[in-house]
Amino acid sequence: MSPGRVRPMGWRRLLLLPIALLASLAVVLLARTIAQTPNLDANWRLDGNGHLQLIATDLPWMRPALGHSLEVIVAPGIAPLVVDGRRVANSTRWIANDEERSAAAEQQRRMARVLEAGTPVLLGFTDRMNARVQPHPRGYTTLGITFWLLCGLGLALELVGAVVVLVRQDVQTLLYAIMAQCQAAQLLLAAVDAVPGMGNISLLGGNEAALRMSLDVVTCAALLNATLLYPTPLPPRRLLSWLSWIAAVVFTTAALAFDLPQAWWWCEALSLSTGLLVVGLLGWSYRITPHPYATVMRRLSIVTTGSLALVTIVVALSDRMPGEVQSLVTAVPVIWTVFFASLLLMSPFLARSQHMMREFAMLAGVSTLATSVDLLFVAVFSFNQFASITTSLFVALGVYAASRQWLLDQMIGARAVTTERLFEHLLRIARKVEEQPERAADWQLELFHAVFQPLVARHEPGFTRTTRWYEGGAGLLVPLAVEPQSDAASSQLDEGDLPEPRLIVLRFAERGKRLFTAEDARLADRIVEQLRRAVAHDRAIEQGRSEERGRIAQDLHDDIGARLLTLMYKAPNAEMEDYVRHTLQDLKTLTRGLAATSHYLSHSAGEWKADIAQRLAPTGCTLEWSFEQDTEIQLNVVQWSGLTRILRELVSNIIAHAKATHASIHGELRDGVLALTVTDNGVGGTPKDWSTGLGLGGIRKRVRMLGGTIAWQQNEPEGVRCDVSVPLAAPSTPSVPSTPTVPLKPPVPAMPSPRAPTAPSTSPGAAAG
């Protein structure tokens, strides 16, 4: 058996493998470093006074100290360390006060030296209780589930940022990669902060807080630059771009090299200002070009900025909170970091993201809200811990239950088309496609415009087997269910001369308020399939009707026609012969109309004139006939039959009731509407006093079946006038507003889609949808 040929991989996939290995190696090295740090076999918590209280241990000689607070740690050769429980933390990023942050960092470094001395340490508790303990490496099992979850999320975000750059190399994707890498590093440092213990994990030489602040400021600068470039390049982008990067460089240099005073407040001020500026710029961008990406990202920016403001307030008020809730104060920034990272991770997949990703991002935001509200209740209203937790939990659950669907709809947008409306549109368009197959593309375009309400809708040459979205959900490509082709033209085309296939291009759903999603693509596919079935069903029914009409016409011609012909030759006098001849001519006209599938209006008008003149001649009534039309159209069997019988019945009324000596019939076709005016000089009387019988009732019924109107009125100076208006052809263009297509670039975090059939060439990066 010969070995199979290996398909060569592109250079992007070859480069992605070492990137993934290096990222995974970095996580493993971080976990290994943390696992080797010394730790005491004990569990601690903060009491109401801010002291570190022993709550659990497996060491028998430490159990008498359970419930007591740790005051001091003594190691041989090292100055005693007085422990402040409020300063026990692996990270000082979210400490607002400069002095407190410096003191916490100093205690962190001293705690690390004490536990890394390699000798037993003496723990001094309240009530003069002591315990001697030998520190040992903490190991992988004590890192905690939160550490591994945050590392996994950071690894995923780092890989997504790398994939985006490998797929398309431009400024937008580079900016997204910068944001992704910065926040991936933030998640890894937050994972270290989440490791339980005594706050002795000192990384980066005490510069951990300054580095994390710098990462946030660089993320803000990249986010602002991305907003200035996409979806619409904004005029002040050069000035704001330079200002943002200068601010990021200055802050990073000052924080890392010169210990910037009030660094935390500067960082939060820059972050909140960037958030507000991004919200305003996205609103401006939408007013210039109503791109749905601007609407979606503006909603997310409002939520993110609002939650960051809430976190800032909570951290700023943390010194007013009792010690037992300090662990919650530490958890709030971690939850917000997860929330922001999940939104950043979701942004390349806005149109294709599954419900679980959206639910995850929303739950992270609700968790941030619940925890922040809990801490605010404690700080502002002095609630006890149980009351604050209970109240905030009920508030968060109530908000979540009441606004869950609305929040999900606001994140991506919702399609509001009822099943009844969709069925009505589908049935109406199927009938129009059957009536005018040469304009099938226009009618299908009208259908999808009614369903999705896009700003831009057109059909153009191209082919796709199934519906797909592109440019990150800005546009949707839909195959035609029925190709436009007239029967007369298709019968003359060879196999090699078939018309070029076409597809429907939709852009900016809900008039630019939302992105197209995978659910929209599946809905469009179902609509296409149902439209095909409806048209095929109508055509099958019409074919059956046509065959039945042909059979009836053939029977009439063969049986009744033959008998009338025999009767004409056996007529006893010339008057009877002439009557039978006219009847035979009417029968031939009827059978020819039943057998034909369509009739040209000009030919039908000639037949109507000849038939009416022939019927009026024996009565001594003269005929004045005129007919005008702006274009030639074909009548289907229903239209031809209805109009023929309407005119015959009106002429029959002139003959039988009006006793007129002159009749005038004028027909005019304008913009697809046929107007017929029939007048006479007879004794019709007042139309409103007429009794409705089979004749008048039949005329009204046939006009209604054709979708038209009819009205009678007295004619001056004598006689009656009848006005009939019947729509025979739709307007020249369907009711789809024509909006010029604005060429757009793909969104910053756009991800590549598999190779698909022909797509519209809207921008060089359109394939990145």
Side-chain angles (χ1 to χ4, degrees), residues 565-586:
L565 185 61
T566 302
L567 183 61
M568 183 181 66
Y569 285 111
K570 293 183 178 182
N573 52 56
E575 183 180 358
M576 180 61 69
E577 179 183 353
D578 189 56
Y579 181 80
V580 175
R581 180 180 290 108
H582 291 167
T583 305
L584 183 60
Q585 182 63 34
D586 292 342

Side-chain angles (χ1 to χ4, degrees), residues 230-231 286 289-295 471 474 507-508 512 515 744-745:
Y230 189 82
Y286 184 82
T289 302
H291 197 292
Y293 186 82
T295 301
E471 287 190 13
R507 291 177 64 80
F508 312 147
L515 297 171
L744 298 173
K745 296 180 180 179

Side-chain angles (χ1 to χ4, degrees), residues 603-743:
H603 298 173
S604 300
E607 294 176 355
W608 295 334
K609 177 183 178 182
D611 177 69
I612 294 172
Q614 188 177 17
R615 294 183 61 197
L616 291 178
T619 66
C621 182
T622 59
L623 173 64
E624 179 185 347
W625 174 274
S626 63
F627 195 88
E628 301 175 1
Q629 57 187 103
D630 57 358
T631 184
E632 181 64 273
I633 64 173
Q634 289 187 351
L635 305 177
N636 58 37
V637 175
V638 176
Q639 293 171 333
W640 177 85
S641 176
L643 291 173
T644 300
R645 284 166 171 77
I646 290 171
L647 286 173
R648 282 188 175 180
E649 187 61 33
L650 291 175
V651 172
S652 296
N653 289 338
I654 293 176
I655 295 173
H657 305 291
K659 300 178 182 179
T661 60
H662 179 76
S664 173
I665 299 178
H666 175 71
E668 182 180 13
L669 178 67
R670 288 287 181 270
D671 297 328
V673 178
L674 176 62
L676 294 174
T677 303
V678 181
T679 59
D680 64 72
N681 61 351
V683 290
T686 305
K688 64 180 182 180
D689 296 332
W690 295 347
S691 61
T692 302
L694 293 177
L696 295 179
I699 293 175
R700 289 193 177 96
K701 181 178 179 181
R702 295 183 189 281
V703 172
R704 284 197 301 268
M705 288 179 61
L706 295 178
T709 59
I710 186 171
W712 283 274
Q713 59 183 343
Q714 283 185 305
N715 191 36
E716 296 297 337
E718 57 183 350
V720 173
R721 171 176 172 171
C722 177
D723 294 305
V724 180
S725 177
V726 175
L728 298 182
S732 57
T733 56
S735 57
V736 178
S738 58
T739 305
T741 303
V742 180

Side-chain angles (χ1 to χ4, degrees), residues 6 297 314 360 405 482 642 688 759:
V6 179
M297 295 310 297
V314 169
F360 174 72
Q405 189 59 48
V482 181
K688 64 180 182 180

Side-chain angles (χ1 to χ4, degrees), residues 51-52 69-73 81-84 124-128:
H51 297 154
L52 202 62
S69 300
L70 180 65
E71 293 182 335
V72 65
I73 301 179
L81 173 62
V82 178
V83 179
D84 186 347
F125 294 90
T126 54
D127 296 336
R128 298 184 179 182

Side-chain angles (χ1 to χ4, degrees), residues 280-356:
L281 290 175
L282 288 172
W284 185 16
S285 173
Y286 184 82
R287 286 191 294 272
I288 296 175
T289 302
H291 197 292
Y293 186 82
T295 301
V296 175
M297 295 310 297
R298 185 171 182 269
R299 295 165 181 165
L300 296 179
S301 299
I302 292 174
V303 175
T304 305
T305 305
S307 60
L308 177 60
L310 196 58
V311 171
T312 303
I313 295 174
V314 169
V315 174
L317 297 177
S318 61
D319 56 346
R320 300 177 54 182
M321 301 179 186
E324 61 264 20
V325 300
Q326 289 299 315
S327 58
L328 289 177
V329 176
T330 305
V332 170
V334 176
I335 296 174
W336 186 87
T337 302
V338 172
F339 170 58
F340 181 70
S342 63
L343 293 180
L344 195 61
L345 182 64
M346 184 182 66
S347 59
F349 314 99
L350 278 177
R352 71 171 79 219
S353 60
Q354 300 299 318
H355 292 290
M356 184 176 66

Side-chain angles (χ1 to χ4, degrees), residues 440-446 448 456-465 468 470-471 475-484 499-507 736 739-743 757-763 766:
D442 294 334
W443 300 129
Q444 294 172 76
L445 187 64
E446 181 181 342
F448 285 103
V456 178
R458 65 180 184 271
H459 55 81
E460 60 183 36
F463 175 74
T464 177
R465 293 187 181 278
R468 65 185 184 91
Y470 65 101
E471 287 190 13
L476 198 69
L477 304 179
V478 185
L480 285 181
V482 181
E483 290 289 341
E500 184 179 5
R502 305 184 69 83
L503 51 79
I504 292 175
V505 181
L506 307 175
R507 291 177 64 80
V736 178
T739 305
T741 303
V742 180
T758 304
S761 55
T762 55
S763 67

Side-chain angles (χ1 to χ4, degrees), residues 175-257:
L175 292 171
Y176 176 78
I178 292 174
M179 291 186 285
Q181 303 306 318
C182 289
Q183 292 307 307
Q186 283 279 24
L187 287 170
L188 294 182
L189 294 174
V192 175
D193 188 22
V195 174
M198 300 187 66
N200 61 306
I201 302 177
S202 179
L203 300 176
L204 304 174
N207 293 322
E208 179 265 348
L211 176 62
R212 293 186 64 179
M213 293 181 202
S214 300
L215 291 174
D216 283 339
V217 173
V218 172
T219 300
C220 291
L223 178 61
L224 182 59
N225 278 266
T227 306
L228 291 169
L229 291 174
Y230 189 82
T232 303
L234 298 176
R237 60 182 181 276
R238 294 185 181 274
L239 176 62
L240 291 179
S241 176
W242 278 104
L243 290 178
S244 63
W245 288 120
I246 291 174
V249 172
V250 170
F251 179 87
T252 301
T253 304
L256 291 176

